[in-house]
Amino acid sequence: FILTGVRGVGKTTTARIIARALNCTASETDGPTAEPCGACESCTAIAEDRHVDVLEMDAASRTGVNDIRELIEGTIYRPVSARYKVYIVDEVHMLSTSAFNALLKTLEEPPEHVKFVFATTETRKVPVTVLSRCQRFDLRRVNAEVLVAHYSDIAAKEEIEITVDALKLIARGADGSVRDGLSLLDQAFAHAAGAKIEAAEVSDMLGLVDRFQILDLFEALMAGDVAGVMAHADTMYASG
């Protein structure tokens, strides 16, 4: 499988969930399940990143053909305790051309007990010969309403007061990336220093207000709202 999408939408997390789905032992059928239990030994070990049969490799730091050969050599051995050996290769587009070529034959005829899950933000950098041997799944940007609910839940657990408007601004700044939004939320928590976080503080943070003003101006322009356009232009002029 190859998982694609912008940064921070959960590609690596989804890859780990796939590994759990393939190896969950609590399923009624004696095979993979679409709903891993999260409580059996396999699911727990994968979630804690200590399962010997689920191997993660960061292609950004291990780009060479020797790294891939080492990985391929491991595929000939059967899993120690799991149903499948799962190789999760993050940032797969960073592999060198020779590394991709070394991987081709194994991808075309992988052993029955082996599954590969690739994650990448740049599918255009992955050779077509590799893409054609994979099932591709595009992970979409997470919409703002879902992000607001998620960040609100985090704020409640951290016992930090933040207004809904402030959360909406953070979700808007995240631009569909859960991780980017978490970074902004973390920064807002640090700026607030225990006080309630208001929308105005989030707007000023990192100068995001400039970008939002341009988008608001564009929306008013497209809607033919002359008064709105003039008001936005005046605000932007006044703020430099």
Side-chain angles (χ1 to χ4, degrees), residues 3-8 11 91-93 119-124:
L3 308 173
T4 76
V6 296
R7 71 207 173 279
K11 296 182 293 296
E91 305 296 347
V92 72
H93 65 275
T120 179
T121 51
E122 302 272 359
T123 41
R124 60 193 172 79

Side-chain angles (χ1 to χ4, degrees), residues 39-132:
C40 68
E41 178 56 35
S42 277
C43 285
T44 308
I46 293 166
E48 293 173 2
D49 202 19
R50 58 178 173 83
H51 202 298
V52 292
D53 294 318
V54 177
L55 305 159
E56 284 192 40
M57 173 182 154
D58 179 24
S61 55
R62 300 182 66 188
T63 61
V65 67
N66 289 334
D67 297 313
I68 288 298
R69 281 190 183 136
E70 191 181 311
L71 183 149
I72 292 167
E73 283 168 12
T75 63
I76 62 174
Y77 302 108
R78 294 196 64 80
V80 176
S81 59
R83 192 179 290 118
Y84 294 103
K85 238 181 182 177
V86 182
Y87 289 92
I88 297 170
V89 183
D90 216 352
E91 305 296 347
V92 72
H93 65 275
M94 300 288 280
L95 289 177
S96 65
T97 305
S98 52
F100 273 125
N101 289 337
L103 195 57
L104 281 179
K105 192 62 181 172
T106 308
L107 283 184
E108 193 163 33
E109 297 172 3
E112 286 184 5
H113 58 270
V114 172
K115 302 287 181 191
F116 288 98
V117 187
F118 299 145
T120 179
T121 51
E122 302 272 359
T123 41
R124 60 193 172 79
K125 291 184 181 177
V126 180
V128 179
T129 46
V130 171
L131 287 174
S132 66

Side-chain angles (χ1 to χ4, degrees), residues 5 67 69 110 130 133 166 171 176 183 185 236:
D67 297 313
R69 281 190 183 136
V130 171
R133 288 166 168 82
S183 298
L185 188 65
M236 290 172 76

